[in-house]
Amino acid sequence: RQALAMMDHPGIAKVLDAGTTKSGHPYFVMELVKGVPITRYCDDHQLTPRQRLELFIPVCQAVQHAHQKGIIHRDLKPSNVIVAMYDDKPVPKVIDFGVAKAAGQTLTDKTLMTGFGAVIGTPEYMSPEQANLNNLDIDTRSDVYSLGVLLYDLLTGTTPEDRKSLGQAALLEILRIVREVEAPRPSAKLSTIDTLPSIAANRGTEP
């Protein structure tokens, strides 16, 4: 609660209240963001690469704000970056700092630390250092990496590591792929993809 209260940015969903239920379960009351994931918004509106970049800039600014407050998100992905309409303008908002970790000072004497062996994040958008079973060394650069994967997805319609192949692998193999397999350049990825015509159409351009 303290971590989230530190943040005050138009690109981050606000926390309105927090507390504990009678049965001892913690809860958060957060601003309702009525929108869709950023990738879906861009495709639905057939935004050009330039328009996608313009929409991506405030996402970076929101994450930078969190970093300046000592908060790492650790699970940046399309479903955690929602685009909502405000005064007929698309505004991206970063949501779900639920797995965020304080970078720097301990927030309270009850701050929860990630246990040894826990993997936090979504494999397709995860930084290599997050794919270690003992990922105690995560810092703001991990979010920057995930932002890069999100941008890759916005521009190419896919992630560096194919979702389908990751989905068929066992957990330890998925983590090895994230750690060790070098991401292909977006241009190389697009040159081998069989859905290029539809990807181009969604971006108002030619293959």
Side-chain angles (χ1 to χ4, degrees), residues 77-169:
K77 57 186 176 183
S79 59
N80 281 339
V81 182
I82 303 298
V83 177
M85 300 303 291
Y86 292 88
D87 296 328
D88 294 327
K89 291 184 179 177
V91 176
K93 283 193 177 260
V94 181
I95 65 168
D96 195 5
F97 279 81
V99 297
K101 170 183 168 184
Q105 81 274 26
T106 300
L107 294 170
T108 71
D109 59 354
K110 294 180 181 175
T111 297
L112 295 176
M113 300 303 290
T114 306
F116 177 82
V119 178
I120 303 289
T122 303
E124 303 102 277
Y125 298 90
M126 188 183 286
S127 67
E129 57 269 28
Q130 271 181 285
N132 285 308
L133 287 176
N134 184 9
N135 58 11
L136 300 178
D137 211 19
I138 302 301
D139 61 29
T140 54
R141 291 172 294 183
S142 193
D143 278 353
V144 174
Y145 185 97
S146 295
L147 282 172
V149 180
L150 178 56
L151 179 59
Y152 193 112
D153 194 353
L154 284 170
L155 295 177
T156 69
T158 183
T159 50
E161 299 307 330
D162 183 62
R163 292 184 183 102
K164 196 176 289 184
S165 60
L166 280 181
Q168 293 169 347

Side-chain angles (χ1 to χ4, degrees), residues 35-46 52 78 81 83 154:
V36 297
I38 188 169
T39 45
R40 195 198 314 169
Y41 177 86
C42 289
D43 284 354
D44 287 349
H45 293 80
Q46 296 188 328
R52 289 166 187 255
V81 182
V83 177
L154 284 170

